Amino acid sequence: MESLKSLVDYGVIGLLILLSFVSIGVALERYMYLRRVELKAYKSRQELEIDLTRGLFVIASVASNAPYIGLLGTVLGIMLTFYTIGQEGLVDTKKVMVGLALALKATALGLLVAIPSSVLYNHLLRKIKGKLFLWEIENGR
């Protein structure tokens, strides 16, 4: 069961931290791209939209899946706590609280990754819509 504790500590939480860096990295790249995009270089709205929305699915995927990954960590942490209680036969409050704290840490981190990713996605989507409207205005469509 020590491997399960390590899986929650390093696997689930490490994955969530990695996903947060990926989400922020993609968001920064997209934001910088949106600032320098030349609307006049595009002949069709579809071509522009494809270029503007490239990579946004990564941010949306992180935002939608991070809570589930945190929930997985919670389930694994609670399983670890119950296993510890079952193995020892006695209820040691300290070990129970440590296991539950580990479980709640995974949940909290899942939400801390999902919420900013969702905000970044919506912010970028709004900027993309603005660029598309500007293209339509400039091209009379």
Side-chain angles (χ1 to χ4, degrees):
M1 260 315 146
E2 269 313 300
S3 61
L4 186 59
K5 184 178 185 297
S6 296
L7 177 67
V8 175
D9 262 347
Y10 300 112
V12 173
I13 292 174
L15 178 61
L16 286 168
I17 291 170
L18 174 69
L19 288 176
S20 70
F21 283 120
V22 168
S23 179
I24 290 169
V26 171
L28 287 174
E29 186 277 327
R30 289 285 83 198
Y31 184 74
M32 289 187 291
Y33 177 77
L34 288 172
R35 291 185 67 181
R36 61 179 164 73
V37 68
E38 289 292 327
L39 298 178
K40 295 174 186 162
Y42 292 92
K43 301 288 184 228
S44 71
R45 185 184 193 279
Q46 291 81 9
E47 181 185 0
L48 175 62
E49 190 170 355
I50 287 170
D51 281 351
L52 292 178
T53 58
R54 185 170 287 126
L56 279 186
F57 74 93
V58 173
I59 302 169
S61 296
V62 169
S64 63
N65 289 306
Y68 295 118
I69 296 169
L71 182 60
L72 174 64
T74 301
V75 170
L76 293 174
I78 291 173
M79 284 173 50
L80 177 65
T81 302
F82 286 146
Y83 181 82
T84 302
I85 292 170
Q87 283 294 95
E88 295 183 5
L90 300 171
V91 178
D92 182 6
T93 308
K94 181 179 177 182
K95 290 184 179 180
V96 171
M97 290 303 138
V98 168
L100 293 177
L102 177 65
L104 294 174
K105 182 170 60 171
T107 302
L109 193 57
L111 292 173
L112 284 174
V113 171
I115 293 169
S117 294
S118 179
V119 170
L120 287 171
Y121 176 78
N122 288 325
H123 177 72
L124 288 169
L125 202 57
R126 178 62 193 122
K127 288 201 164 291
I128 288 169
K129 285 182 182 179
K131 292 283 185 185
L132 289 171
F133 288 146
L134 286 174
W135 184 89
E136 287 176 355
I137 290 169
E138 289 177 3
N139 290 290
R141 295 182 181 148

